[in-house]
Amino acid sequence: MTLRLLILGTGGMAANHAAAFARIPGVELVAGVDTRAEPLAAFAARHGLGRTFSRLADALDWGRFDAVANVTPDAAHHATTLPLLAAGKHVLCEKPLATSAADAAEMAQAAARAGTVAMVNLTYRNVPALQQAAQLVAEGALGPIRHFEASYLQSWLTQPAWGDWRTEPQWLWRLSTAHGSKGVLGDVGIHILDFATFAAGEAPTEVSARLATFDKAPGGRIGDYPLDANDSATLQLRLEGGALGVVHASRFATGHLNDLRLRLYGTEGGLDIRFENAESALSACLGPARTGARWETIPCPPVPTVYDRFIAAIRGEGPTDPDFARGAQLQRWLDRAEDSAASGSRLLPA
Ligand SMILES: NC(=O)c1ccc[n+]([C@@H]2O[C@H](COP(=O)([O-])OP(=O)(O)OC[C@H]3O[C@@H](n4cnc5c(N)ncnc54)[C@H](O)[C@@H]3O)[C@@H](O)[C@H]2O)c1
């Protein structure tokens, strides 16, 4: 049976959703919703959407869709996802699920009540090296994990490869807490927190964090946007098994457009997972190779994307993973990191 998909929010990231879903057999992009008429019309023409709506409520009245890709800005996720779940729609929501742990928890509860498929778009689950690493860890290849280093590095505040943040609102909302941004911590810190804890197969038990916001414009604002959201985040974590690790994220990492790296060390081996320049690679130093500190490249088969898995879950052909409960768990850790930073980096239970 054809699965009818609606795209809610037709800005930058929506193009990735449209392209990914258009490639899946049996999925039809039927409609788009955006509060801005012009980008909506251009998006609908480009991706062949038959219907467009300026209000979600009108799309819900129309109702002829089964699933929704929620690609609105972070601050709109909570208010738009709840009525979709109440109407029995499947939802793939962008990250972070919400702007607070309380709102994310409410969304996870609503999803459980609705019984529909509700997933969060943790894009880097699509990285083959991450999935392969998680499998090796789960098989015990590293032994108990003792230490890790994780980073997510971007540089869009220092160069214009993706556009000019000084003039384009799709960048400005990300710099402003008044517009629902949790800064680099919420924007990409959530990805690297998921990356590290998913690979390790362990949740943090303690967190301590520092956040920094740098002067970027006269008076610290551009038009309606006070530029107060954090640009750089450093976290120290302890995992359930006792390992210590650091996670950092920045938009000022000149020389890196969009690079993730995780190094995991256990008593029996180490893993180095890279996603750099859109290429994924995994190397390992395992067992007897530890003595000579010899690292070898591990082949990583392709993996289904979160888009593929969302559709498979709706069809009953795969698990709902990563689900809203995972999104809410990550959101709690983000809030704890903010609490820690606000209290002078106090060590807090995660
Ligand atoms: N998973 C990833 O790797 C990844 C990458 C980029 C962005 N994102 C996430 O995707 C989301 C969108 O980011 P973006 O870069 O596309 O932003 P964007 O600003 O380019 O686009 C958002 C669109 O949503 C529209 N919109 C705002 N409120 C709305 C509402 N209530 N109803 C309907 N439309 C509404 C805006 O008019 C805009 O066209 C964010 O949550 C962001 O964090 C995720």
Side-chain angles (χ1 to χ4, degrees):
M1 205 180 79
T2 302
L3 211 146
R4 301 164 301 173
L5 187 95
L6 176 140
I7 300 206
L8 173 65
T10 57
M13 185 60 187
N16 294 33
H17 284 250
F21 283 119
R23 278 195 293 271
I24 304 176
V27 175
E28 193 186 344
L29 306 185
V30 293
V33 180
D34 203 294
T35 45
R36 297 181 308 150
E38 212 175 288
L40 174 62
F43 187 91
R46 206 170 322 120
H47 298 285
L49 306 181
R51 297 290 300 252
T52 58
F53 302 90
S54 61
R55 289 172 1 116
L56 176 59
D58 296 337
L60 279 166
D61 284 346
W62 173 65
R64 290 188 212 144
F65 57 98
D66 309 297
V68 177
N70 188 344
V71 208
T72 58
D74 307 356
H77 294 170
H78 174 259
T80 52
T81 296
L82 291 178
L84 289 167
L85 293 172
K89 306 298 180 187
H90 307 290
V91 181
L92 174 63
C93 184
E94 266 306 338
K95 46 48 64 174
L97 211 43
T99 56
S100 71
D103 281 359
E106 190 185 350
M107 291 165 76
Q109 283 155 12
R113 255 197 321 275
T116 58
V117 172
M119 287 173 53
V120 55
N121 196 23
L122 296 168
T123 329
Y124 297 94
R125 295 286 186 98
N126 307 345
V127 169
L130 174 67
Q131 295 291 344
Q132 187 69 35
Q135 193 178 323
L136 283 168
V137 173
E139 289 165 1
L142 299 197
I145 296 173
R146 299 294 191 222
H147 191 82
F148 68 97
E149 293 176 34
S151 64
Y152 192 141
L153 303 177
Q154 294 186 330
S155 58
W156 56 269
L157 290 174
T158 74
Q159 48 71 29
W162 297 343
D164 185 354
W165 61 268
R166 289 179 180 81
T167 53
E168 298 172 16
Q170 74 267 28
W171 300 111
L172 290 176
W173 68 256
R174 290 176 163 80
L175 301 174
S176 184
T177 61
H179 292 79
S181 175
K182 287 170 92 74
V184 74
L185 178 69
D187 192 19
V188 303
I190 188 169
H191 281 305
I192 193 66
L193 265 175
D194 179 67
F195 204 88
T197 56
F198 175 71
E202 295 179 32
T205 54
E206 293 172 350
V207 60
S208 146
R210 293 194 79 173
L211 302 174
T213 307
F214 296 94
D215 284 342
K216 295 182 284 293
R221 64 185 303 135
I222 296 178
D224 292 338
Y225 298 85
L227 307 185
D228 60 343
N230 60 82
D231 303 309
S232 194
T234 59
L235 277 59
Q236 294 200 55
L237 303 174
R238 184 184 284 278
L239 300 183
E240 286 161 314
L244 283 189
V246 292
V247 172
H248 58 110
S250 178
R251 299 162 161 171
F252 274 111
T254 305
H256 296 271
L257 290 182
N258 191 58
D259 294 343
L260 288 80
R261 187 160 184 196
L262 171 64
R263 290 185 277 191
L264 271 176
Y265 305 105
T267 57
E268 310 304 313
L271 290 177
D272 186 349
I273 308 152
R274 292 164 178 253
F275 181 76
E276 294 175 342
N277 298 316
E279 293 286 333
S280 139
L282 175 64
S283 50
C285 174
L286 298 174
R290 284 174 297 156
T291 315
R294 287 192 320 278
W295 290 76
E296 64 172 317
T297 302
I298 308 280
C300 301
V303 296
T305 65
V306 175
Y307 308 103
D308 296 324
R309 284 189 279 138
F310 177 60
I311 299 302
I314 293 171
R315 291 177 171 151
E317 295 166 1
T320 300
D321 178 43
D323 63 7
F324 272 24
R326 175 63 175 176
Q329 182 183 44
L330 288 161
Q331 198 95 37
R332 270 202 315 278
W333 302 338
L334 295 182
D335 278 15
R336 297 309 271 165
E338 281 181 342
D339 293 344
S340 167
S343 68
S345 307
R346 203 150 54 87
L347 187 66
L348 297 176

